[in-house]
Amino acid sequence: MSRFTIHDLATTIDARAASGGEGSYTRKLLDKGSEHCAKKFGEEAVETVIAAVENNRDHLIAESADLLFHLLVLLKSRGVKLEDVEAALGQRTAMSGLEEKAARKRD
């Protein structure tokens, strides 16, 4: 069984964003605009936190999947590619997390 990756999800979102019609939840989200996408992402973030606090593994996994989907839709709505986020993460791995955080405070 092949592994489904976040890149696969991003590709699926791109394809559904390009499609028309009422059959795509992704397209409906994007048609409502970036602000709506951001609100949905926020809702999913809260639900993910609640699942983590409840210490329910299956619920946390399901909510994390929703969160990642809505993050990618939000990024798509603002024209940000997954590769852009990966590049930012790659730059941060050149130093420790504490060093990176301190550097952001100086900027």
Side-chain angles (χ1 to χ4, degrees), residues 2 4-6 8 17-18 22 27 29 31 35 37 40-43 46 55 57 65 69 71-72 74 84 89 102:
S2 65
F4 185 82
T5 69
I6 197 162
D8 296 329
E22 293 292 314
R27 183 74 258 158
L29 287 170
D31 286 346
E35 293 79 12
C37 294
K40 279 300 294 178
F41 175 70
E43 290 171 15
V46 169
N55 198 25
R57 185 178 189 277
F69 167 78
L71 172 60
L72 291 179
L74 174 59
D84 299 330
L89 288 170

Side-chain angles (χ1 to χ4, degrees), residues 26-106:
T26 302
R27 183 74 258 158
K28 285 182 181 183
L29 287 170
L30 291 168
D31 286 346
K32 290 182 180 180
S34 295
E35 293 79 12
H36 179 79
C37 294
K39 288 177 186 175
K40 279 300 294 178
F41 175 70
E43 290 171 15
E44 296 301 336
V46 169
E47 291 172 5
T48 302
V49 169
I50 291 168
V53 170
E54 290 174 344
N55 198 25
N56 180 327
R57 185 178 189 277
D58 291 338
H59 190 204
L60 178 58
I61 291 168
E63 291 301 339
S64 295
D66 290 347
L67 182 68
L68 290 173
F69 167 78
H70 283 89
L71 172 60
L72 291 179
V73 171
L74 174 59
L75 294 174
K76 176 77 176 170
S77 77
R78 290 293 189 194
V80 176
K81 296 183 180 298
L82 179 57
E83 291 79 10
D84 299 330
V85 177
E86 288 176 323
L89 288 170
Q91 291 173 344
R92 292 179 183 185
T93 60
M95 62 181 83
S96 78
L98 295 174
E99 290 171 330
E100 188 276 329
K101 189 173 181 178
R104 279 190 280 157
K105 288 182 181 177
R106 289 191 296 252

